[in-house]
Amino acid sequence: IFQTRLWNPDSNEDAAEKERRNLQNEFRMNACRLIRKHFPSASVGIYPEKFSEKMAPDLLLDLKQTTKQAYFNALRKSDIGIADEGLKDTPGWKVSEYLMFGKALISTPFHVVIENFKQQKNYLELSGRSSFTELPDQIEYLLADNKYLQMGQQNLLWSNEYLHPMNYL
């Protein structure tokens, strides 16, 4: 699963943030296209709004797919979640959603330390911010011998220990 959105670089005045958003959008569009090509049954697409309609009309999700219920249904049916960094180089909320649902994870590099969250155990990391071409091989790696099941179980355990709301009370 990789249901995401694009961010209009022109809605931010900082030149560095504009460039970061351009890179982010390029990754997201190319990743969706590549995943669709190699894995036609995958749930991938871009949230439909004005900027996305202009940039990626071929990737727009149907609005019915973007409801909370439809998204969580698609998430439950998926085994592997694709993520990239969120705004301002954060891991983004998608990572937490995937972990809480016990999904295997493939992500662009993280720019923050996440406690007891390890490559190969909790996630596979792409080599760079623009490395969308690595996705098919990473997905195939997780599918081989059902490695995604073990990673998903590790992520469910991790999320219960580090993300569950009871741990904050």
Side-chain angles (χ1 to χ4, degrees), residues 9-73:
D10 295 332
S11 66
N12 193 289
E13 294 185 20
D14 179 45
E17 179 61 15
K18 283 179 187 264
E19 179 57 23
R20 202 194 64 65
R21 287 181 181 195
N22 280 322
L23 288 172
Q24 181 181 52
N25 290 340
E26 285 300 313
F27 174 85
R28 290 176 176 190
M29 290 183 292
N30 288 317
C32 285
R33 288 185 180 110
L34 195 58
I35 294 167
R36 273 192 183 170
K37 178 180 175 184
H38 290 273
F39 305 95
S41 64
S43 180
V44 298
I46 307 287
Y47 184 81
E49 48 80 38
K50 193 177 253 187
F51 180 72
S52 300
E53 289 170 2
K54 178 180 144 192
M55 298 300 295
D58 60 314
L59 298 173
L60 299 178
L61 294 165
D62 183 302
L63 269 178
K64 293 174 189 166
Q65 293 174 281
T66 65
T67 66
K68 186 180 352 179
Q69 181 178 3
Y71 173 70
F72 284 138
N73 284 338

Side-chain angles (χ1 to χ4, degrees), residues 1-3 42-44 71 74-75 78-83 98 103:
I1 187 169
F2 187 47
Q3 294 185 8
S43 180
V44 298
Y71 173 70
L75 186 55
S78 299
D79 297 310
I80 300 169
I82 310 300
Y98 297 152
K103 305 303 174 188

Side-chain angles (χ1 to χ4, degrees), residues 94-116:
K94 289 282 184 212
V95 172
S96 298
E97 290 173 354
Y98 297 152
L99 301 179
M100 290 172 67
F101 275 78
K103 305 303 174 188
L105 173 65
I106 301 171
S107 180
T108 56
F110 294 115
H111 296 281
V112 296
V113 174
I114 304 172
E115 187 177 351
N116 288 326

Side-chain angles (χ1 to χ4, degrees), residues 114-124 151 158:
I114 304 172
E115 187 177 351
N116 288 326
F117 198 67
K118 309 285 183 212
Q119 279 191 61
Q120 298 300 121
K121 179 180 177 184
N122 300 100
Y123 70 104
L124 298 181
M151 184 180 284
W158 188 92

